[in-house]
Amino acid sequence: MTSAQASPATIVEAKGLTKAYGRTYALQDVSFSVTQGERVVLLGANGAGKTTLLRLLAGLLRPTEGSVLLWGTPPWHARCRAQVGVTSHASYHYEELTAWENLRLFGRLYGASNLETAIERALERVGLAAQAREPVRTLSRGMQQRLAIARATLHRPALLLLDEPETGLDAAAQGDLATFLFPNGEETAVIATHSLSLGLTLGRRWVILSGGRVQYDSQTDGEDQARVEKNYQMYVVHGGR
């Protein structure tokens, strides 16, 4: 096989992932892989296991059973974390610092190159250039979410793990979400969302979780949207009935 024909590198490899809290299973026997350049959208109702799966991939939780590797290494290792960008339900900003100061602090922690320029570009991309010097506590929830997206993408991570990145964004900002998240157009990402319409826009592959298990996984770019919608209705809206 020539280099031009080489298969994309595997970024994420999850095998038999299970997470239990006592007798309650948040995730059960989940196996899948993500290759370089893929954008995988996790769809599911509340409690389906989307957030748990993302936290396991980010190394924020340890599995009860099974394994997860990023670039062949457990995700809690420092060299993995430096290559990952994360958004979660909470923004985790320092509210007394300005938007600029928050990004500068994060960028220094992760050794972002050309930091001043990177901050300017990130704020411009998410529409916060005018609020750069304002304390985060004065920003609206939607603006704080934009800042969280800027922070997650500031260091040009090789993998984005995004938990409902649309939270708090108005309709216009949701329409720009792909531009916020994927400035290069080739980023690898795993994205959890409740919104089927948004998921169809952001993703190239769709995984539906229900009851902590993978119920549907479309493997092909250009998957017929009607088929995705049918499975979404079955497993998310009607609970598999």
Side-chain angles (χ1 to χ4, degrees), residues 139-156:
L139 302 181
S140 69
R141 178 65 183 91
M143 288 180 177
Q144 290 190 29
Q145 184 66 8
R146 291 173 186 240
L147 183 59
I149 292 169
R151 183 186 62 206
T153 57
L154 179 67
H155 58 304
R156 302 182 66 181

Side-chain angles (χ1 to χ4, degrees), residues 179-192:
T179 301
F180 293 172
L181 294 171
F182 311 127
N184 299 321
E186 299 179 352
E187 288 82 356
T188 305
V190 182
I191 311 154

Side-chain angles (χ1 to χ4, degrees), residues 11-12 30-43 50 53-54 57 159-163 165 181-182 187-193 198-209 214 216-221:
I11 304 297
V12 177
V30 169
S31 298
F32 76 111
S33 61
V34 180
T35 58
Q36 185 174 345
E38 272 196 301
R39 294 183 198 160
V40 181
V41 174
L42 304 177
L43 296 166
K50 304 187 301 298
L53 178 53
L54 284 176
L57 298 184
L159 173 65
L160 289 167
L161 301 174
L162 308 168
D163 198 354
L181 294 171
F182 311 127
E187 288 82 356
T188 305
V190 182
I191 311 154
T193 181
L198 185 62
L200 291 173
T201 299
L202 295 178
R204 298 170 182 168
R205 173 180 164 199
W206 301 277
V207 173
I208 296 177
L209 292 171
V214 173
Y216 175 79
D217 185 347
S218 69
Q219 298 280 353
T220 307
D221 283 357

Side-chain angles (χ1 to χ4, degrees), residues 61-77:
L61 291 175
R62 301 291 181 99
T64 304
E65 297 178 16
S67 65
V68 58
L69 299 175
L70 306 183
W71 302 280
T73 302
W76 47 85
H77 285 197

Side-chain angles (χ1 to χ4, degrees), residues 166-180:
E166 73 276 17
T167 299
L169 298 180
D170 59 25
Q174 288 192 29
D176 291 332
L177 194 54
T179 301
F180 293 172

Side-chain angles (χ1 to χ4, degrees), residues 73-124:
T73 302
W76 47 85
H77 285 197
R79 69 177 185 146
C80 287
R81 290 189 172 182
Q83 300 182 72
V84 177
V86 178
T87 67
S88 64
H89 291 161
S91 60
Y92 296 114
H93 300 308
Y94 291 95
E95 294 194 346
E96 297 305 314
L97 299 181
T98 67
W100 179 281
E101 289 167 340
N102 268 274
L103 293 185
R104 183 175 59 186
L105 175 61
F106 179 84
R108 286 177 174 174
L109 288 173
Y110 279 80
S113 58
N114 301 315
L115 183 54
E116 301 293 308
T117 299
I119 293 172
E120 290 178 1
R121 289 177 177 173
L123 289 171
E124 183 70 31

